[in-house]
Amino acid sequence: MTWEDIVADKRTRLEATIPQEWRLKELPSQDNVMDVPKTCGILTDEEITITESSATDLVEKLAKKELTSVAVTTAFCKRAALAHQLLNCNLEFFPDMALARAKELDEHLEKTGKVVGPLHGLPISLKDQFRVKGLETSMGYVAWIGKYEEKNSDLVELLLKAGAVFYVKTSVPQSLMVCETINNVIGRTVNPRNKNWSCGGSSGGEGAIVGLRGGVIGVGTDIGGSIRIPSAFNFLYGLRPSHGRFPYGKMANSMEGQETVHSVCGPLTHSIADMKLFATAVLAQEPWKYDSKVIPMPWRQPEADVIKEKISSKGLTLGYYNCDGNVLPHPPILRGIETVVSTMKKAGHTVLPWEPYKHPYAVDLINGIYAGDGGTDVFNTLKESGEPAIPNFGDLIKPDLPKIDMNELWEVHLKKWAYQSEYLEQFRIFEEKHGKELDAIIAPISPTAAIRHNQFKYYGYAAAINLLDFTSVVVPVTFADKNIDKINEGFKALTEIDKTVQAEYDPEAYHGAPIAVQIIGRRLTEERIMAIAEEIGKLLGNEITP
C-alpha cells in the first residue's frame, strides 16, 4: 500500500465513527462556527446546557446523581462529532467505548453510592500523544497508523483511576514541532472563531475541540508552547507545569529520549477552577508511584493561600515585559499586555517593568536543542511510509543539519543550567531592589493573536520559558480590534525574523482574533501561578467564579 492508500483507509474508518444522526446535512459557509452546535438541531437543549457547563459543576452533579455519565458523555460525544465536521480536529473518535465506560461508572455509583474518584463520569479529551489501550496512536505520522496500543500512558491510567471517561484523541502536527496543526493523515485543523486562523499547535486539536466546547477539559503537552499557544488562540486557560509535576511516562513522542528540554503534560480549560480540578485529581493519584520522574509533591493549598492573602491585601508584586528583544508583538498583543498591567495596577497591586534576561540567547540555545539530532528521528519516521514532510517545521528541523556529539550535548546542558541559575539571580536582584517578593511575570505567549495559516514563525516567547522550566499559565484577555489595533507605521525591525512577523500583521484579517498573555513563575509554583491567573481572569471578566 502507498502512504496515500493508508491515509484513505484511515479517513474512511474515522468517518465511520460518527453516527448518521450526529452528522450535519451541510457544512456552514461562514468562517465563525462557534454557534453551529447550538443552532444545528443535533444537540438537545439539555445537551447544550451540559456541554456549556464547567467541569467543576458537572462532577458535582454527577456525584449527586443529578446527571448520569451516560448523558454527559453522550452530549460531549455529539459535540465532538460536530467539532470534527466543522474543524477537522479528531484523529481517534470512540463513542461506543466511551459510553460503555460511562455506563459502568453509573452502575458503580448506583450500586455503591460512591464515586470512583474526583473526576467520576467526566469526559476528558486527549491529545493523540496519549496512549489508550486498544486504540491507535498515529500522532500525525502515516507510518504509525495501524499500530494498536497494549498499554495506557501513565497519565491516562491515573485519570481513569480518578473516574474520567475518554471519547476522543485529537489531531497534532506531523512531528509535533509546530505551533500549527497540520498533517498528512487528516489535513489541517482550523480555529472555530475563524476557519482562516490557526488553532495553534502542537496540542491544536485540543485547543479547537475545547474552544468549541466539544471538550470541557483537554489534555495536551508542551515542549515549546504546545499547550499555551492553542490555549491563547482559542481563548482558553492553559497550564504549562514544570517538569516532574505531572507524569509523562509511556507517552508517544518525536525525538523520544531527548532529555535536555522536557516535554510536559497539562490541561486546557475554560477556567482556573477546572484547571485546579484536573491538577488536584491527578496529584491525588500519587503519580510519583508510577513515573519515576515525578516529584513526590501533592497539591499544596497553603501555596495558593499565600497568594490569596496577598490578593486580599492588594499585595501582589508582578513584573511585566512586552518585548523579548528579538520580536516585537503585533499591536493587539501589546494592548493585551497593557490591559493586564493597568487592570492589576487599578486593583492596587504593584506592577513593575521586568527586563527579559538574555531571551535571544535562550531562543538560540533551545532551537539548537530541538535540532540536535539533525532531524534524524523525524525524517526516519517519514521514510517508513514515504509520506512527505509538511513544510511548516522546515525552519526548525532540516535533514541537512549537523548532529551534535556527546561532548557538545554536555556543553549545552551546562549552558542551560547556567542560564537557569542566572535567571534566578535576576529574580533576587529585582527583589533586593524593590524590597518585595516577585510573585509572577506578565508576558506575551505569542507575538501574534490567533494567526493565519502557515504564518507562525516565532516560538521564542513560549520556548524561552520551556528552557527555564518555569511554570506558566495562559490567561485569555480580549480580542483584536481593527479600529484600535492599527499598524505601527513607525516600526523599525529589531531582527530579520521581527521584520517577517511584523509584515504579517493586517488589522482587518485579525479583527476578532483572541488575545492572551502568560503568567510566569519560578519552577514548581503551579498553585501560586494558577491563583494569580484566576484573579487576573476575574478582574478581566473572563474567569468563571465557582
Side-chain angles (χ1 to χ4, degrees):
M1 289 176 77
T2 65
W3 73 265
E4 292 96 337
D5 293 332
I6 295 168
V7 163
D9 176 68
K10 173 67 176 178
R11 292 183 181 185
T12 299
R13 288 188 287 119
L14 186 58
E15 175 85 5
T17 61
I18 301 177
Q20 281 297 136
E21 60 270 25
W22 296 357
R23 297 189 187 189
L24 294 163
K25 291 183 174 62
E26 58 181 344
L27 292 176
S29 58
Q30 72 267 27
D31 290 330
N32 186 322
V33 297
M34 289 291 287
D35 288 336
V36 172
K38 287 183 279 190
T39 59
C40 67
I42 289 173
L43 296 174
T44 66
D45 288 346
E46 184 189 36
E47 287 166 344
I48 291 168
T49 300
I50 286 170
T51 52
E52 297 189 0
S53 298
S54 69
T56 50
D57 282 347
L58 289 173
V59 292
E60 187 177 330
K61 288 178 179 176
L62 284 159
K64 291 178 178 176
K65 301 186 192 176
E66 293 173 15
L67 287 171
T68 65
S69 182
V70 166
V72 174
T73 301
T74 300
F76 278 103
C77 283
K78 288 170 77 170
R79 197 146 178 161
L82 292 172
H84 184 65
Q85 294 169 76
L86 295 166
L87 309 173
N88 196 36
C89 58
N90 300 347
L91 273 173
E92 299 291 320
F93 185 49
F94 39 101
D96 291 347
M97 187 170 146
L99 288 167
R101 160 78 170 166
K103 185 170 179 286
E104 287 175 7
L105 289 167
D106 286 339
E107 288 171 352
H108 174 89
L109 181 58
E110 193 62 42
K111 186 177 177 181
T112 67
K114 295 179 181 179
V115 295
V116 166
L119 300 177
H120 184 101
L122 184 73
I124 286 184
S125 54
L126 298 169
K127 182 180 187 176
D128 193 48
Q129 258 187 287
F130 288 89
R131 301 185 195 276
V132 176
K133 187 177 177 180
L135 299 178
E136 292 175 272
T137 306
S138 66
M139 212 180 75
Y141 283 130
V142 176
W144 291 1
I145 293 172
K147 296 178 180 179
Y148 292 85
E149 301 299 345
E150 295 180 1
K151 289 184 178 180
N152 293 324
S153 296
D154 287 345
L155 186 54
V156 167
E157 197 69 34
L158 296 178
L159 289 169
L160 286 171
K161 276 188 69 183
V165 176
F166 302 124
Y167 60 110
V168 64
K169 296 208 298 168
T170 56
S171 196
V172 299
Q174 181 196 73
S175 84
L176 301 178
M177 301 305 291
V178 188
C179 280
E180 299 191 59
T181 297
I182 181 170
N183 56 58
N184 294 320
V185 179
I186 63 168
R188 184 186 298 280
T189 305
V190 299
N191 192 304
R193 283 186 163 80
N194 189 322
K195 290 184 284 186
N196 299 304
W197 299 333
S198 170
C199 60
S202 62
S203 310
E206 283 305 305
I209 201 169
V210 178
L212 195 69
R213 286 194 170 271
V216 66
I217 294 177
V219 195
T221 64
D222 193 313
I223 194 173
S226 290
I227 289 169
R228 290 163 293 156
I229 297 297
S231 298
F233 285 6
N234 291 280
F235 210 70
L236 301 170
Y237 291 84
L239 169 64
R240 187 262 171 215
S242 294
H243 170 61
R245 199 71 206 268
F246 298 139
Y248 203 89
K250 302 185 184 71
M251 297 281 286
N253 213 346
S254 286
M255 298 180 286
E256 198 170 10
Q258 184 279 120
E259 295 272 308
T260 309
V261 175
H262 292 94
S263 180
V264 294
C265 301
L268 298 82
T269 64
H270 291 279
S271 70
I272 297 295
D274 286 358
M275 185 182 287
K276 182 180 176 182
L277 173 66
F278 172 88
T280 54
V282 171
L283 294 174
Q285 310 309 312
E286 300 183 316
W288 46 90
K289 293 182 177 178
Y290 294 76
D291 182 345
S292 63
K293 292 183 180 178
V294 176
I295 298 162
M297 185 185 288
W299 178 263
R300 300 166 297 173
Q301 188 56 39
E303 289 290 295
D305 292 341
V306 166
I307 295 300
K308 289 176 181 178
E309 287 173 17
K310 288 189 176 187
I311 289 169
S312 64
S313 63
K314 303 185 187 303
L316 285 178
T317 301
L318 304 169
Y320 76 94
Y321 62 91
N322 60 17
C323 182
D324 69 351
N326 253 349
V327 171
L328 181 71
H330 285 180
I333 301 300
L334 295 175
R335 181 165 62 87
I337 294 290
E338 176 52 36
T339 298
V340 175
V341 169
S342 60
T343 297
M344 296 310 284
K345 283 182 177 178
K346 188 177 177 183
H349 301 291
T350 301
V351 189
L352 300 164
W354 172 265
E355 183 64 36
Y357 177 74
K358 290 171 57 175
H359 278 223
Y361 169 84
V363 173
D364 287 345
L365 186 57
I366 198 168
N367 284 348
I369 293 165
Y370 295 148
D373 77 335
T376 299
D377 180 81
V378 169
F379 283 96
N380 280 352
T381 305
L382 299 184
K383 281 177 193 171
E384 287 179 39
S385 67
E387 68 167 310
I390 59 169
N392 305 64
F393 62 69
D395 293 335
L396 197 62
I397 302 172
K398 302 174 187 175
D400 57 351
L401 287 169
K403 295 183 185 183
I404 63 171
D405 65 22
M406 185 60 77
N407 293 98
E408 289 171 319
L409 180 61
W410 290 346
E411 187 179 350
V412 168
H413 287 168
L414 290 173
K415 286 179 178 177
K416 183 191 78 167
W417 187 12
Y419 179 69
Q420 291 173 330
S421 298
E422 288 168 19
Y423 216 98
L424 291 177
E425 183 182 17
Q426 298 307 305
F427 271 74
R428 297 196 304 275
I429 291 169
F430 181 98
E431 290 172 341
E432 286 166 15
K433 178 181 177 182
H434 298 288
K436 295 180 179 180
E437 181 181 26
L438 179 61
D439 295 304
I441 298 168
I442 302 160
I445 178 56
S446 162
T448 72
I451 200 164
R452 289 188 285 195
H453 299 309
N454 300 324
Q455 297 306 311
F456 199 103
K457 305 293 185 185
Y458 184 66
Y459 301 79
Y461 281 99
I465 307 311
N466 291 85
L467 188 74
L468 291 164
D469 195 25
F470 282 171
T471 299
S472 172
V473 175
V474 163
V475 177
V477 179
T478 185
F479 299 91
D481 187 331
K482 63 184 178 182
N483 299 310
I484 301 172
D485 304 315
K486 306 289 189 183
I487 290 174
N488 181 0
E489 300 293 352
F491 169 76
K492 291 182 181 177
L494 299 170
T495 57
E496 280 302 309
I497 186 67
D498 193 20
K499 189 188 296 182
T500 300
V501 171
Q502 289 302 321
E504 165 57 19
Y505 183 58
D506 178 342
E508 194 74 39
Y510 285 105
H511 183 68
I515 298 168
V517 300
Q518 61 177 331
I519 311 302
I520 304 162
R522 293 177 177 89
R523 284 192 73 235
L524 300 167
T525 54
E526 288 76 23
E527 295 89 347
R528 287 178 176 242
I529 302 306
M530 285 165 60
I532 293 169
E534 184 173 46
E535 179 65 9
I536 292 170
K538 284 177 183 174
L539 291 172
L540 293 171
N542 296 333
E543 173 60 55
I544 301 163
T545 305

